[in-house]
Amino acid sequence: MQSRIIERPGFTVVGMEYLFREGDNGFGQLWERFIPRENEVTGKREPAVSYGVCAPHTDGWLQYVAGFEVDEDAAVPEGMVRIQVPAQRYAVFTHVGTAAQIGASFEAIMDHLLDQHGFQACEGVDLERYDQRFDDPFDPTSEMELYIPIR
């Protein structure tokens, strides 16, 4: 899996939220609910780029937001949330495959790829970045980027 390091400034995402605990898997259903409503999000910085934002929440819960980077003062449609992603240094890996294989890519990154590349993960906000290379969640040639916070 290809990788690179970037310093990503903080930014704002508006989208739909899913609260979960480690091991839960309702991300696909969240995207299925969000995609029909994605045009309700205004002030998009990159209209062809969507994000999956995974952040620590409260009491062992995690927050996942499917959404778009927006202007800081963008409106939040009913049933959606705003999340602030802090500035962070990331190891960015390119995932090639179906949406169902993203979890396996995350596991490979955390289990051995970070070490192989000399990176050390830290507490922070994980990102999935979907652009025009991710044509279809069932296409094994689709590409997207996984952002892992590092020191």
Side-chain angles (χ1 to χ4, degrees), residues 77-96:
E78 185 176 330
M80 294 193 194
V81 298
R82 172 190 320 273
I83 185 170
Q84 295 298 131
V85 179
Q88 179 69 55
R89 183 174 189 223
Y90 287 100
V92 181
F93 292 85
T94 301
H95 164 82
V96 179

Side-chain angles (χ1 to χ4, degrees), residues 45-104:
R45 294 272 175 101
E46 293 179 276
V49 176
S50 58
Y51 286 88
V53 179
C54 186
H57 202 261
T58 57
D59 299 329
W61 288 89
L62 298 167
Q63 177 187 34
Y64 182 90
V65 175
F68 290 93
E69 179 179 1
V70 297
D71 296 330
E72 210 169 291
D73 61 348
V76 178
E78 185 176 330
M80 294 193 194
V81 298
R82 172 190 320 273
I83 185 170
Q84 295 298 131
V85 179
Q88 179 69 55
R89 183 174 189 223
Y90 287 100
V92 181
F93 292 85
T94 301
H95 164 82
V96 179
T98 67
Q101 297 168 321
I102 293 171

Side-chain angles (χ1 to χ4, degrees), residues 11-14 16-18 20 27 30-31 50-56 62-69 83-86 90 124-130:
F11 64 104
T12 304
V13 170
V14 167
M16 294 181 79
E17 168 185 64
Y18 172 62
F20 70 102
F27 310 109
L30 175 66
W31 282 101
S50 58
Y51 286 88
V53 179
C54 186
L62 298 167
Q63 177 187 34
Y64 182 90
V65 175
F68 290 93
E69 179 179 1
I83 185 170
Q84 295 298 131
V85 179
Y90 287 100
V125 176
D126 294 337
L127 302 173
E128 301 165 357
R129 184 180 185 275
Y130 300 90

Side-chain angles (χ1 to χ4, degrees), residues 1 5 9-10 14 26 30 37 44 52 63 66 72-74 80 82 86 96 100 104 112 114 117 130 133 135 139 147:
M1 216 180 301
I5 296 176
V14 167
L30 175 66
R37 295 189 60 200
K44 294 174 187 166
Q63 177 187 34
E72 210 169 291
D73 61 348
M80 294 193 194
R82 172 190 320 273
V96 179
H112 62 277
L114 285 173
H117 289 90
Y130 300 90
R133 298 171 298 161
D135 294 331
D139 182 351
Y147 286 58

